[in-house]
Amino acid sequence: MNSVQIRSAEKALSVGTWLIVGGAMLFSILTVTPLMERHTPKGWEWTAPILPLVVDAAVVIVVRLDAVLARLGGHGGKWPVVLRWMTGCMTLALNVADSALKKELVGVAVHAVAPLLLIVTAETGLAYRTAITAALTAQEAQQKAEQAEREQVATQRREAAERREREEREHAAQLVREQREHEALLAREQTAREEAGRREERERAEARERAERETRERREHEREQQQAERERLEREATQRRAAERREREEREHREQAEQQERAERERAALLAAGPATDKQPEGQARETVKAAFVAGLPVRAAAELTGWSTGWVSTRYQELRDTIPTREGVPA
């Protein structure tokens, strides 16, 4: 049987077992409850269903745990057997007690059917599950053994193929190595002959190179002397040009200083003239405004010096701001 059929059989066994257990529990509750009500102290009749429920709960535990242990291939020892038979006997006794007390043999036989069926079903289900588990274990062991055997055969075949491939590679490598050694021997002999020819050629070339080197060194020495003479002349010419450039720069600096000093005197003279009594000519007024702008005088003071309006002086100030860098703190 395959795994699907085995699972189907287990499912049928489980469903049938629980149907029998459920029916037996319901029948037991309905049968035992009236008996417990008649034998319970007055006022406690409501506790009558507790005892059959407790006994049936023990039955459920026994059936469920036996199924789990059987599926796992385990064994709970003697106490599960004691509990199973004790609950079965209790269920049987409680179900037939009422009829036995009334001495009704037919009632005893009828009420004994469900408990006996429950006891036999529990034992049979346990035996079935144990047998199924053992069969599954044996089947799995056989499958594992077959799988291991197939893997071993495959491993042996693979190792044999690898061994053949390794031997073929080693043989091919040996042939290649021998061919390479033969070619290397021929190459060494050819190299030795070529090396002897190159050595002779190298010696002749070295002799030519020594002669050429001596000639080249002599020419190089002459060029170095000529180059040193040219560099000396160039240094002297550079020093003369540098001295002339320094003299020219000093002269230009003196001339700029003199021009700046003259411009300062002219601005000082323009500013020292004081407020104009008459409107200065435009050219002179522009010079005066420029001197006032450079000196940082306000527009009103420049207007008083030139005799022109503050608007005209402000316009000239703006033109001077666009052409002359403005000093910090020069008033607008």
Side-chain angles (χ1 to χ4, degrees):
M1 296 179 66
N2 55 28
S3 59
V4 176
Q5 293 173 335
I6 293 173
R7 283 196 297 270
S8 177
E10 287 183 336
K11 185 176 181 181
L13 176 62
S14 178
V15 171
T17 301
W18 286 112
L19 285 176
I20 294 172
V21 171
M25 289 175 60
L26 179 60
F27 184 79
S28 177
I29 291 172
L30 296 176
T31 300
V32 177
T33 300
L35 176 64
M36 295 305 300
E37 289 178 350
R38 289 194 302 270
H39 293 82
T40 302
K42 188 177 181 179
W44 292 90
E45 292 82 357
W46 59 273
T47 62
I50 295 177
L51 180 60
L53 285 174
V54 171
V55 176
D56 293 338
V59 173
V60 172
I61 292 172
V62 169
V63 173
R64 179 58 181 165
L65 292 181
D66 283 344
V68 174
L69 286 175
R71 188 69 182 87
L72 295 176
H75 190 272
K78 65 180 181 179
W79 287 109
V81 178
V82 173
L83 179 60
R84 186 167 60 250
W85 279 96
M86 186 176 68
T87 54
C89 293
M90 286 180 180
T91 302
L92 178 62
L94 289 173
N95 276 272
V96 302
D98 192 20
S99 299
L101 291 174
K102 294 177 181 180
K103 297 181 179 180
E104 297 179 358
L105 297 179
V106 175
V108 171
V110 171
H111 288 90
V113 172
L116 291 175
L117 183 62
L118 179 61
I119 294 171
V120 175
T121 301
E123 293 294 332
T124 306
L126 178 59
Y128 279 145
R129 289 189 176 91
T130 303
I132 290 172
T133 301
L136 286 175
T137 303
Q139 185 178 7
E140 291 176 357
Q142 182 180 0
Q143 291 176 354
K144 289 181 179 178
E146 293 176 354
Q147 180 67 23
E149 184 178 359
R150 287 194 297 270
E151 292 178 354
Q152 184 178 2
V153 171
T155 302
Q156 292 175 354
R157 291 177 179 175
R158 186 172 58 254
E159 290 177 352
E162 291 177 353
R163 185 168 55 254
R164 287 194 300 271
E165 292 178 358
R166 184 171 57 255
E167 291 175 355
E168 292 175 357
R169 287 196 301 270
E170 290 176 354
H171 180 66
Q174 183 178 0
L175 294 178
V176 172
R177 186 166 54 253
E178 292 176 355
Q179 180 67 23
R180 190 181 300 114
E181 290 176 354
H182 179 66
E183 293 176 353
L185 178 60
L186 296 177
R188 284 196 298 272
E189 293 176 355
Q190 180 66 22
T191 302
R193 290 192 297 269
E194 294 177 354
E195 183 65 24
R198 284 195 297 270
R199 189 181 305 110
E200 294 176 359
E201 181 65 25
R202 187 167 52 250
E203 291 174 356
R204 290 193 296 269
E206 288 177 355
R208 288 195 301 269
E209 288 178 358
R210 281 195 299 272
E212 293 176 355
R213 185 169 56 252
E214 292 175 357
T215 303
R216 189 168 52 254
E217 289 176 354
R218 185 173 59 256
R219 293 176 181 175
E220 185 67 25
H221 182 66
E222 294 175 355
R223 281 198 299 271
E224 289 177 356
Q225 290 180 347
Q226 295 174 0
Q227 181 67 22
E229 184 65 21
R230 283 197 299 271
E231 290 178 356
R232 185 181 62 78
L233 296 175
E234 289 177 357
R235 283 197 299 272
E236 292 177 356
T238 302
Q239 292 174 357
R240 286 195 301 272
R241 288 193 295 272
E244 293 174 355
R245 186 170 57 254
R246 285 195 297 273
E247 291 177 359
R248 184 171 57 255
E249 290 176 355
E250 292 176 356
R251 185 170 57 254
E252 291 175 355
H253 182 68
R254 287 194 300 272
E255 291 176 355
Q256 289 177 359
E258 291 174 358
Q259 291 176 359
Q260 187 175 3
E261 184 178 358
R262 186 166 54 253
E264 290 292 337
R265 286 197 301 269
E266 291 175 356
R267 283 196 297 271
L270 291 173
L271 296 176
T277 55
D278 295 328
K279 189 176 183 180
Q280 294 180 350
E282 184 176 355
Q284 184 179 358
R286 286 180 178 272
E287 293 296 330
T288 304
V289 170
K290 184 176 181 181
F293 177 80
V294 174
L297 297 178
V299 174
R300 187 176 299 280
E304 291 177 355
L305 291 173
T306 60
W308 288 70
S309 64
T310 56
W312 183 85
V313 175
S314 297
T315 302
R316 303 290 81 75
Y317 263 47
Q318 185 60 41
E319 293 174 354
L320 292 170
R321 288 191 189 97
D322 296 338
T323 57
I324 300 175
T326 307
R327 298 179 183 176
E328 293 183 0
V330 176

